[in-house]
Amino acid sequence: MSNSSSQLSIEGQMYQIVRVQKLKSMVSIQRSVKHSFRTQTTPNADPEKERENNVIGLKKGAKSKSELEEQAMQKLKDRMPTKLRKNGVLCVEHLVTASPEFFDKKSREEQNEYFIKSLQFFKKKWGEKNVIFGGIHRDETTPHMYLYVVPLDEKTGRLNCRKWLGERDALNKLQTNFHKDVAQEFGLDRGLEGSKAQHQTLKKYYAKLNDIELKNESEKPTAGDYLKEVSGLSNKVESLLDRKNTEINTLIEKNQLLEGERGRFVKAIEWGESKNKELNIKYKDPISEREEVEYLHKEAVELERLATLAANRIPNLQNENEALKIALRSAQEKSLSYQNQFFNLKDQVEQEENINQQNNLASNNKGGLSD
């Protein structure tokens, strides 16, 4: 996840929890939707409580979870433009919940009121048409609402996540505004702004949320442990890529401005040289009026000064231009390196999961034979 605000209850305090994840491919969207509709195995979900889950924004009457998943994916695609920018944000997933103690003290109606007002908050932020669908999970330890948003700018007809989340402190403002408009009404605290302990607190919180016992550090890591590490690395890589893409775009814009300025100076030099030639021709011819001579002389001196100034400026502009190109290449190489690291770790996790599945299958087969 690209941003989170969650803390365990400390001395009776209860906190809002709002998470944001940017999804940049249809594969990542499909994987997330499968989790939301339980069309894939969800270890921390109780199948007996699955019927208590709710779906928001989709037509009723689906015959199966797979049909519901297909309907959701089609609704997302229908909101997206035909042409999609490479590496652009296609969908933004939100998760809204609170400290477990908050739900322990609330009735089902009070819980629903918290989720309804949260839904209204995000519809106001993104625009009602951009909030495509969502739902409430009650088959896990703590109830939570999920929402899928397509960041379509209706003025341009293009996806533009930066319009809503492009500011440097956009996620921080989101947490603050959510607390002001929703959470404080329910007695929830916002969590410390700018806290450097966020990720560590989130990890402890979800360990408690999913009833996961901390294992001895000497034990061999499981696929789940690797998955958590990859998830954390994914967040860091995504954040770094966003920053690097912003830096690259800034460098490109500055480079274009310098190229334009250089072109203007070149034209000034050419114009000055042309004027100098004209004046040299005039000076060779007899001139009867002294005032015209003085005027032309002053004009020639000024033009020569401007031409000299422009000529001196060009090497600096060229050096700046080369430096920008080098910085741009370096940023692109780093971006590619981080992407490669992420996909390597992802492959490792998938291999580990395949091995575990094979071991489990072999164990089940063995157990069946013994019976």
Side-chain angles (χ1 to χ4, degrees):
M1 293 291 174
S2 56
N3 177 268
S4 59
S5 176
S6 58
Q7 293 182 329
L8 293 174
S9 295
I10 301 175
E11 298 180 355
Q13 288 182 305
M14 295 180 295
Y15 294 89
Q16 69 182 44
I17 301 172
V18 179
R19 303 176 70 196
V20 180
Q21 176 169 309
K22 299 175 183 177
L23 304 175
K24 296 185 176 183
S25 70
M26 297 307 298
V27 173
S28 60
I29 294 175
Q30 184 90 50
R31 186 184 301 116
S32 175
V33 171
K34 283 182 177 294
H35 170 81
S36 296
F37 292 124
R38 305 311 194 217
T39 53
Q40 67 178 19
T41 303
T42 308
N44 57 306
D46 184 353
E48 295 183 359
K49 294 183 179 180
E50 190 175 312
R51 62 181 178 274
E52 298 183 25
N53 294 342
N54 301 110
V55 177
I56 301 169
L58 296 177
K59 294 180 181 180
K60 296 181 180 179
K63 297 179 181 179
S64 65
K65 293 185 291 184
S66 297
E67 185 177 329
L68 197 62
E69 175 192 332
E70 184 178 349
Q71 182 189 152
M73 289 298 299
Q74 188 60 50
K75 195 171 181 181
L76 284 169
K77 293 175 183 177
D78 290 344
R79 184 60 177 166
M80 295 177 189
T82 304
K83 294 183 179 180
L84 301 177
R85 182 170 60 86
K86 186 178 181 181
N87 201 37
V89 177
L90 305 183
C91 180
V92 179
E93 181 184 359
H94 288 287
L95 182 143
V96 180
T97 183
S99 300
E101 294 81 1
F102 170 76
F103 294 100
D104 293 340
K105 299 177 181 179
K106 299 294 182 181
S107 66
R108 178 63 61 86
E109 290 74 18
E110 291 172 326
Q111 293 177 14
N112 288 342
E113 185 180 0
Y114 174 64
F115 289 133
I116 289 171
K117 292 196 174 181
S118 299
L119 175 62
Q120 292 170 347
F121 170 85
F122 285 106
K123 283 185 175 181
K124 182 179 179 181
K125 173 179 175 61
W126 291 97
E128 187 168 356
K129 291 183 179 179
N130 281 343
V131 180
I132 309 303
F133 69 90
I136 299 173
H137 284 154
R138 290 192 170 93
D139 58 351
E140 297 181 53
T141 305
T142 301
H144 55 271
M145 180 174 71
Y146 59 89
L147 296 172
Y148 290 84
V149 176
V150 173
L152 180 69
D153 186 348
E154 292 191 336
K155 292 183 179 180
T156 62
R158 298 178 180 179
L159 298 179
N160 184 12
C161 186
R162 291 180 183 275
K163 178 179 178 179
W164 291 274
L165 297 178
E167 295 181 8
R168 186 179 185 86
D169 58 346
L171 297 176
N172 184 53
K173 287 182 179 179
L174 172 65
Q175 302 291 345
T176 299
N177 291 336
F178 181 84
H179 181 258
K180 178 182 175 182
D181 295 348
V182 180
Q184 68 177 359
E185 179 182 342
F186 294 87
L188 293 169
D189 293 312
R190 183 206 180 280
L192 186 62
E193 290 191 47
S195 172
K196 296 181 179 180
Q198 268 188 337
H199 294 290
Q200 182 179 3
T201 305
L202 181 63
K203 182 178 180 181
K204 291 181 179 179
Y205 172 77
Y206 275 99
K208 179 181 178 181
L209 178 66
N210 297 321
D211 295 325
I212 299 174
E213 296 182 359
L214 296 177
K215 296 183 177 181
N216 191 301
E217 293 182 359
S218 62
E219 294 182 3
K220 182 180 179 180
T222 65
D225 296 327
Y226 284 122
L227 187 60
K228 289 180 181 178
E229 293 181 9
V230 171
S231 178
L233 180 60
S234 174
N235 296 339
K236 293 178 181 179
V237 170
E238 183 177 353
S239 177
L240 181 60
L241 287 176
D242 285 343
R243 290 199 303 271
K244 290 302 180 184
N245 286 333
T246 300
E247 292 175 6
I248 290 171
N249 291 333
T250 301
L251 290 172
I252 292 174
E253 291 174 1
K254 188 174 181 180
N255 185 44
Q256 291 173 345
L257 290 174
L258 290 174
E259 287 287 355
E261 188 175 354
R262 179 178 176 273
R264 289 193 294 272
F265 276 118
V266 170
K267 290 181 179 179
I269 292 173
E270 292 174 349
W271 181 80
E273 291 176 348
S274 176
K275 279 293 182 181
N276 278 331
K277 290 180 180 179
E278 291 179 8
L279 292 172
N280 288 333
I281 293 173
K282 288 184 178 181
Y283 282 137
K284 292 179 180 179
D285 298 333
I287 300 175
S288 58
E289 297 181 6
R290 181 177 177 182
E291 293 181 356
E292 184 178 357
V293 174
E294 292 177 351
Y295 171 77
L296 293 174
H297 177 70
K298 289 179 181 179
E299 188 179 36
V301 171
E302 179 64 16
L303 289 173
E304 186 175 359
R305 184 185 70 81
L306 290 174
T308 302
L309 179 63
N312 292 334
R313 183 72 186 277
I314 285 177
N316 293 332
L317 291 174
Q318 292 175 333
N319 291 337
E320 291 181 14
N321 187 26
E322 289 300 321
L324 286 172
K325 290 180 179 178
I326 293 172
L328 177 61
R329 286 196 299 271
S330 176
Q332 291 172 335
E333 290 173 357
K334 289 183 179 179
S335 176
L336 181 59
S337 174
Y338 287 125
Q339 288 178 341
N340 290 336
Q341 292 179 29
F342 169 70
F343 286 116
N344 287 338
L345 282 174
K346 181 180 176 184
D347 290 340
Q348 292 179 14
V349 171
E350 291 178 348
Q351 292 175 5
E352 179 72 18
E353 288 180 342
N354 291 334
I355 292 173
N356 286 343
Q357 289 177 358
Q358 293 175 1
N359 291 338
N360 290 336
L361 181 60
S363 176
N364 291 335
N365 292 335
K366 183 178 181 181
L369 293 174
S370 63
D371 292 339

